[in-house]
Amino acid sequence: MNRDQMTADYAAGVLHPALRLMVEAQDAIDGERARDSEIAAAAGGAWLESEDPAPMKNNALDTALSSIRETPMDPAARAARQAGQRLAELAAVPEPILDHAIEAASGRGWKSPMKGVRRLELMRDGDLTAELIHVKSGVSVPAHGHSGREYTLCLQGEFLQDGKVYGRGDMVIADGETVHAPRADGEEDVLVYAVTEAPLKYHGVAGLLQKIFGFR
């Protein structure tokens, strides 16, 4: 199924809910790009015009950060900070997916099947799984194939796959014949929303571990 077919099935109301979220999320990202650019340009211009320059000491930022680090934090504040950090991880998640992501993060939580890779399952329907996948910058997902199609929407950062670079809002569809090892490219960590019709089939050492431990 390609993107055009997904759009047609979406309009007909027959697209799977996990893929409906993907279509809606990509449309939301496309809208965000234009909206955010307009808002940023308008707000930035207005703010610059209304503000008078204010001199700052050379070490002002270092002094402020040092003061923050040295301030004791009580347990309640620490818990609030940790909760805020968990929510901050979802900052790049578009509105259509966000409620599912918050619920999953508060319940099942993130899982780390391998170093530098974390997964947050949002939905499962038989063999079909919808999840967020976070990959640290510079990390490659082990080479794997597919028992069915895999739909991937980039939400943050850029990843390199099959010689092409994909960024926020780009969608990639892999079929059962595809074998690849996506790599988080650039300085920013990568976050994607992925829908797989069946468990992945890892190759090499990861494939051996998959057989032993049975992870997806």
Side-chain angles (χ1 to χ4, degrees):
M1 183 189 306
N2 57 30
R3 181 60 168 85
D4 291 339
Q5 184 61 55
M6 290 174 66
T7 302
D9 287 354
Y10 178 89
V14 297
L15 192 63
H16 190 281
L19 293 176
R20 288 183 64 85
L21 286 178
M22 181 167 286
V23 171
E24 292 170 356
Q26 188 180 39
D27 289 345
I29 290 173
D30 287 341
E32 285 175 6
R33 288 171 174 169
R35 182 197 64 198
D36 289 350
S37 295
E38 292 174 359
I39 292 175
W47 181 79
L48 287 174
E49 290 179 359
S50 64
E51 288 295 309
D52 294 325
M56 295 181 66
K57 295 181 179 179
N58 292 334
N59 64 341
L61 178 59
D62 291 337
T63 301
L65 292 176
S66 177
S67 177
I68 292 172
R69 294 190 191 101
E70 293 173 1
T71 302
M73 185 178 296
D74 61 47
R78 191 180 305 277
R81 178 177 177 179
Q82 291 173 344
Q85 289 173 339
R86 287 195 293 270
L87 289 176
E89 291 182 320
L90 304 178
V93 177
E95 186 66 32
I97 304 175
L98 189 56
D99 285 346
H100 296 271
I102 292 174
E103 181 180 356
S106 302
R108 291 180 293 273
W110 292 86
K111 308 298 181 185
S112 183
M114 57 200 70
K115 187 176 181 179
V117 179
R118 295 188 301 141
R119 304 170 75 162
L120 179 65
E121 183 179 303
L122 306 187
M123 187 185 306
R124 182 176 292 191
D125 181 8
D127 283 338
L128 184 145
T129 302
E131 59 189 348
L132 293 176
I133 303 176
H134 180 277
V135 184
K136 292 287 292 181
S137 174
V139 171
S140 293
V141 176
H144 61 273
H146 305 270
S147 301
R149 283 167 296 198
E150 176 189 57
Y151 304 82
T152 304
L153 175 65
C154 184
L155 305 179
Q156 173 185 293
E158 295 182 339
F159 66 91
L160 178 65
Q161 179 173 297
D162 301 327
K164 297 181 180 179
V165 176
Y166 299 92
R168 179 169 168 83
D170 291 334
M171 183 189 297
V172 188
I173 303 174
D175 58 27
E177 304 299 318
T178 302
V179 176
H180 53 202
R183 174 183 174 84
D185 204 39
E187 297 182 357
E188 188 175 21
D189 291 354
V190 167
L191 180 68
V192 303
Y193 173 60
V195 177
T196 52
E197 296 178 335
L200 305 184
K201 297 184 294 186
Y202 289 99
H203 292 222
V205 175
L208 178 61
L209 293 175
Q210 184 181 38
K211 291 179 181 178
I212 295 174
F213 297 106
F215 62 82
R216 291 177 64 92

